Amino acid sequence: MGLFRNDPQRVVLETHEVQPTATRAPWSLWADGFGKLGIRAIQIIVVVALVAGIVFAIQQLTLVTIPLVIALILACAFNPVMSWMRRRGIPSILATLITLLAIVVILGLLGWLIVWAVRDQWDDLYAQAEDGFQRLLAWMQTLPFDFVQPDQLDEWVKTLTDFVTSAQFGSGALAGVGAVANFVTGLVLMVTILFFFLKDGPQMWEFLLRPFRGANYLRARRIGDKTTTVLGSYVRGTATVAAVDAIGILIGLLILQVPLAIPLSVLVFLLAFIPIVGATVAGIVAALVALVANGPINALLVVGVVVLVNQLEGNFLQPVLMGRSMKLHAFVILVALTVGTVLGGIVGAVLAVPITAAAWGIIQVWDGTDLPARWARPKHPVAG
């Protein structure tokens, strides 16, 4: 036994015996670089899925969400008026009724101007359009190449006539009736929501702030105040700029004797709420009317008037009225317009920019009155 115990070969075997390895915890796989990347990927997927779900719900409930957002923006725009009347002892219900009556009068006046001008000048415009179309056809016949043949025009007219008299056009008309019904329903809902926002807006906001305490309460209050300021300033500033644009273009159209000058100026006012794209569309429509009614030279002069008014507005008026707090880069505006148009059509395009401006304003006061969120703070001074 002693010889075996002192055997050198036995000692070597015992020395090289395999030692048990320590087992790694399962969660330690997430501690390296790939693990952290996987965690971030899962978080991104969850956030994207959540946003997609919210967007889908909004698209399914546009009859409620769009009137709600419009009412909120209008309530922010008229908040200074309501505050001014409340400070002078006017009851909330009376101040709300006065504000709503003013809104109805303004919108009704715009609608009456459009209907009156179109009805008053429609016969002359129709005759001028027909004459201009005939002149355009005669000019195309003088081209050295075959642009449009008369038989092609006859075929297009026949196709259009067949479509108007077809069942497909009738179904489209019924769909239009349904769209009008939805519009009326949304308008009534918007007016009702706006009434309560104007009358009880501060009390409703205080009710929503009840779950917050301490720093979270202060942050929520900063967010509410900033959203009200940005949305209200955006609507009031845009309306003022749009009014100046409409008046300037109206003067130009009247000097150039373009038909439907008043409806075109109202169209300019409405499209001004869609930044960048709205002014371009309004200018194209005005130039087309001038082209059909008065000829190409007149249309070029109209384009010059539109460009001049837009340049004066963009370089002088808009920076003063809109302020730096709502200054968004043109790239951000284009992306917001694209997303809003895809999700909500024309209404989405109108609401995209103010909502984006409000979101950026919230980020700017996230950690304090003049202290943006940590990730949105400048990391180094920007060279001027």
Side-chain angles (χ1 to χ4, degrees):
M1 296 292 291
L3 292 175
F4 181 75
R5 192 177 296 114
N6 296 326
D7 188 3
Q9 186 177 4
R10 177 65 179 175
V11 173
V12 171
L13 290 176
E14 290 179 353
T15 304
H16 288 81
E17 186 176 353
V18 179
Q19 300 296 326
T21 58
T23 59
R24 297 178 61 186
W27 55 84
S28 64
L29 298 175
W30 298 94
D32 58 359
F34 285 106
K36 294 179 180 179
L37 179 62
I39 293 175
R40 290 291 180 263
I42 294 175
Q43 292 173 340
I44 293 173
I45 292 173
V46 172
V47 171
V48 170
L50 179 61
V51 172
I54 293 175
V55 171
F56 177 77
I58 292 175
Q59 288 181 325
Q60 299 302 313
L61 299 173
T62 53
L63 191 60
V64 177
T65 55
I66 290 180
L68 180 64
V69 175
I70 295 176
L72 176 62
I73 293 176
L74 291 178
C76 294
F78 288 95
N79 180 61
V81 178
M82 293 293 298
S83 300
W84 181 83
M85 287 190 286
R86 286 193 182 101
R87 287 196 301 266
R88 277 151 181 79
I90 300 177
S92 294
I93 182 65
L94 182 59
T96 302
L97 292 176
I98 293 174
T99 304
L100 286 178
L101 181 61
I103 296 174
V104 171
V105 169
I106 294 173
L107 296 179
L109 180 61
L110 291 177
W112 177 80
L113 284 175
I114 295 175
V115 173
W116 170 77
V118 171
R119 186 180 60 183
D120 186 62
Q121 302 181 22
W122 179 256
D123 294 337
D124 294 338
L125 180 63
Y126 178 79
Q128 291 173 340
E130 186 177 7
D131 180 64
F133 183 70
Q134 294 299 329
R135 283 186 294 172
L136 179 62
L137 292 180
W139 175 74
M140 286 191 298
Q141 296 300 325
T142 62
L143 296 177
F145 51 88
D146 294 335
F147 190 73
V148 178
Q149 297 294 332
D151 55 348
Q152 289 179 324
L153 291 176
D154 296 337
E155 183 179 356
W156 292 347
V157 173
K158 183 178 181 300
T159 303
L160 180 62
T161 304
D162 294 340
F163 173 74
V164 172
T165 57
S166 64
Q168 183 180 0
F169 181 80
S171 62
L174 291 177
V177 173
V180 171
N182 289 335
F183 172 78
V184 173
T185 304
L187 180 62
V188 173
L189 181 60
M190 187 271 291
V191 173
T192 304
I193 296 175
L194 178 60
F195 173 82
F196 288 110
F197 278 171
L198 292 174
K199 178 178 177 294
D200 301 322
Q203 293 84 351
M204 296 170 69
W205 181 238
E206 285 296 335
F207 177 80
L208 293 177
L209 292 180
R210 287 184 178 182
F212 299 98
R213 295 289 184 274
N216 292 329
Y217 174 82
L218 296 177
R219 174 178 292 169
R221 178 162 288 282
R222 287 197 306 270
I223 289 174
D225 295 339
K226 189 64 175 180
T227 301
T228 302
T229 302
V230 170
L231 292 180
S233 300
Y234 179 87
V235 173
R236 293 190 297 271
T238 304
T240 304
V241 171
V244 173
D245 286 351
I247 293 173
I249 292 178
L250 174 63
I251 295 174
L253 295 179
L254 291 176
I255 294 175
L256 296 174
Q257 297 181 353
V258 177
L260 301 178
I262 294 179
L264 289 175
S265 62
V266 174
L267 181 65
V268 169
F269 176 81
L270 296 177
L271 291 179
F273 285 87
I274 305 178
I276 302 176
V277 179
T280 303
V281 173
I284 292 174
V285 173
L288 289 176
V289 173
L291 175 65
V292 172
N294 299 339
I297 303 299
N298 194 270
L300 290 177
L301 293 176
V302 169
V303 172
V305 170
V306 173
V307 171
L308 177 62
V309 172
N310 288 330
Q311 288 300 315
L312 292 175
E313 165 253 310
N315 294 324
F316 297 99
L317 188 60
Q318 192 170 20
V320 175
L321 293 176
M322 303 299 289
R324 296 184 59 87
S325 61
M326 292 167 292
K327 186 175 178 60
L328 297 175
H329 195 276
F331 174 77
V332 178
I333 294 177
L334 288 175
V335 172
L337 287 174
T338 304
V339 174
T341 304
V342 171
L343 297 179
I346 297 178
V347 178
V350 174
L351 299 178
V353 176
I355 291 176
T356 304
W360 179 242
I362 291 173
I363 294 173
Q364 295 301 302
V365 297
W366 186 259
D367 288 335
T369 304
D370 297 318
L371 187 62
R374 186 182 303 274
W375 58 269
R377 301 172 194 170
K379 303 303 184 295
H380 57 81
V382 180

